[in-house]
Amino acid sequence: MTSHQDRLFFIDFLKAISIISVVSFHSIFVPPNTYDSSALLLETLFVPLRFCVPTFLVISFFLLEQSFHGNGQNSFIKTFLLLRKRLYRLFIPTLFWFTLAGFKFLVQNKTRSEIASMYLRGTIFSGAYYLLVLFQFFPIFFLIRGKFRELKNILFLILFQSLLSLSLHYLIRVDACESIEQILIKLGLPFFLYWFAYMAIGAYFYHNYSRILSLSKRLSKKKNLLILTVTIIFFLVEYQWLYRSLSPPFEYTMLSCILSSITVFLCFIQIKKSHFNQVFLKLINLLAKYSLGIFCINGIVGRILSFVGKSLFENAIFTFPEILFIKLIGWMFLLSISLILSILLDRFGLKSIVS
């Protein structure tokens, strides 16, 4: 029997490892030209961590479906009111962090039209697109969530999104339609076609939690490790094949991302508090609780540190061991400062923008 606390802890654990992974992609504060010769190897080494954003999306829709389905929220009116409440809760941190990031660019003498473009494309800070994706999909999810209980519908959406991703990469690689590529670049990562399968996976996982848990329990530790290893290898192989067409905003248009959002749930759904000592439990709970704050703060602070690093290291050249060390140190520093600032903001009464 799995307790309600263990069920929530499984979600907290996935949030914790996902937010740690998110920060890794914003943790190099020196100009890209200073490590050109090592960029591909470095990106390849860390590409398996791109499970993070897909996993966050699956968690978001898992919890949204739990909210809609639980507490007697069965009528259209009650569900709509709950949706409105969720959108309002999302609006508060989005308004705060978008405004703060926009003010930073005003200080840097960016025009209002440039800032408006960054708002719409989700580039006002690193990761801002994620909040825009949720704003798009929460209402869509509300309208069609009933379709996500049937496996055939989930498989269709996964297949459809996979085919779209493969078609996109083909067009980019053969330069078949440069105009489409430019339009997609202008739309940026908030473009809904990159993400729609994840809301279906999240809802399906909620309604089939017991089945997935039962399946996970039948897998030995060796089989779980094998599944995760295969997922990592898939990431590495696909990245080597597609890296020329994975420049922003196409970095999450990988079949590996879809696969990873499924495999991490399968492999970690049975994880319990009893598997960790108190120090790790406290860290997991903090990272999960403040994942929203860390997500936004690291995106803003990382941009500021990159601006400083550009002026300090513009003419430097780093070897692979050096840039790897810089990334690891930057990763730990950025994660720590983002968590500390989130805790402080909470204590100053700003809980709604960090958790």
Side-chain angles (χ1 to χ4, degrees):
M1 182 72 68
T2 300
S3 69
H4 182 63
Q5 284 190 338
D6 281 329
R7 181 167 175 165
L8 290 178
F9 180 73
F10 135 72
I11 293 292
D12 285 347
F13 178 79
L14 289 182
K15 281 185 177 181
I17 62 173
S18 295
I19 197 59
I20 291 171
S21 300
V22 165
V23 176
S24 74
F25 293 108
H26 309 145
S27 59
I28 296 181
F29 313 129
V30 297
N33 63 283
T34 62
Y35 58 95
D36 273 341
S37 61
S38 303
L40 178 58
L41 179 57
L42 192 68
E43 283 292 322
T44 302
L45 183 63
F46 284 90
V47 74
L49 296 186
R50 289 212 179 272
F51 80 91
C52 55
V53 173
T55 298
F56 265 130
L57 285 170
V58 172
I59 290 172
S60 294
F61 291 105
F62 180 102
L63 295 176
L64 186 60
E65 180 62 17
Q66 182 182 52
S67 299
F68 285 161
H69 189 260
N71 301 315
Q73 302 288 348
N74 294 317
S75 74
F76 180 87
I77 298 298
K78 288 183 177 180
T79 307
F80 176 77
L81 292 175
L82 182 56
L83 170 67
R84 188 177 68 175
K85 181 179 178 181
R86 282 301 186 100
L87 287 172
Y88 180 74
R89 285 181 58 188
L90 180 61
F91 175 75
I92 297 300
T94 302
L95 177 64
F96 179 87
W97 296 115
F98 272 51
T99 301
L100 182 63
F103 179 75
K104 177 180 76 74
F105 282 110
L106 277 176
V107 172
Q108 295 176 352
N109 296 319
K110 294 287 186 181
T111 66
R112 291 184 180 180
S113 61
E114 288 175 319
I115 294 173
S117 176
M118 287 188 282
Y119 279 145
L120 293 174
R121 294 172 59 199
T123 58
I124 196 68
F125 61 85
S126 299
Y129 65 87
Y130 177 78
L131 300 174
L132 298 182
V133 170
L134 293 182
F135 268 114
Q136 290 179 77
F137 279 107
F138 275 12
I140 295 172
F141 184 81
F142 164 73
L143 294 172
I144 63 174
R145 52 185 280 266
K147 302 292 185 181
F148 299 148
R149 296 193 184 195
E150 297 184 36
L151 181 59
K152 64 179 182 180
N153 293 336
I154 310 304
L155 294 176
F156 173 78
L157 286 177
I158 291 174
L159 177 61
F160 185 58
Q161 182 159 334
S162 299
L163 291 174
L164 281 176
S165 296
L166 290 173
S167 300
L168 170 66
H169 290 296
Y170 173 77
L171 291 174
I172 293 174
R173 286 171 71 91
V174 301
D175 296 322
C177 196
E178 191 174 336
S179 60
I180 291 179
E181 181 181 351
Q182 291 305 313
I183 290 171
L184 292 174
I185 289 173
K186 289 181 180 179
L187 291 173
L189 269 170
F191 188 46
F192 75 98
L193 285 181
Y194 301 145
W195 311 106
F196 60 83
Y198 299 115
M199 67 172 176
I201 294 171
Y204 183 81
F205 279 176
Y206 171 75
H207 287 291
N208 293 274
Y209 173 84
S210 297
R211 290 182 182 179
I212 298 167
L213 178 61
S214 177
L215 173 60
S216 182
K217 286 181 175 179
R218 291 199 298 269
L219 298 174
S220 65
K221 290 182 180 180
K222 288 184 178 179
K223 288 181 179 178
N224 274 329
L225 182 60
L226 178 61
I227 290 171
L228 292 174
T229 302
V230 169
T231 303
I232 291 171
I233 292 172
F234 192 11
F235 262 115
L236 297 175
V237 172
E238 187 178 16
Y239 184 77
Q240 287 296 314
W241 180 46
L242 296 177
Y243 75 91
R244 292 177 183 172
S245 58
L246 285 174
S247 58
F250 308 119
E251 56 262 49
Y252 286 99
T253 57
M254 300 172 66
L255 304 188
S256 312
C257 290
I258 301 174
L259 174 65
S260 67
S261 71
I262 297 170
T263 56
V264 296
F265 264 74
L266 178 63
C267 292
F268 294 119
I269 194 171
Q270 60 175 305
I271 204 163
K272 297 179 180 180
K273 288 185 175 183
S274 58
H275 295 155
F276 299 91
N277 61 36
Q278 288 302 312
V279 174
F280 279 102
L281 275 179
K282 186 173 182 180
L283 180 60
I284 290 168
N285 289 334
L286 282 173
L287 290 170
K289 179 179 180 180
Y290 295 112
S291 58
L292 173 62
I294 296 170
F295 194 99
C296 297
I297 291 171
N298 99 92
I300 295 174
V301 173
R303 287 278 184 88
I304 294 171
L305 293 175
S306 294
F307 180 77
V308 174
K310 183 178 180 180
S311 61
L312 293 177
F313 300 101
E314 188 173 4
N315 298 314
I317 299 294
F318 297 105
T319 64
F320 176 74
E322 289 171 339
I323 196 62
L324 178 60
F325 178 76
I326 290 170
K327 182 178 178 71
L328 293 176
I329 294 299
W331 188 1
M332 289 186 287
F333 174 77
L334 189 56
L335 181 63
S336 300
I337 196 68
S338 299
L339 176 58
I340 290 169
L341 288 174
S342 295
I343 294 171
L344 289 175
L345 287 169
D346 184 8
R347 291 183 178 177
F348 280 109
L350 296 174
K351 180 179 179 180
S352 62
I353 67 171
V354 294
S355 66

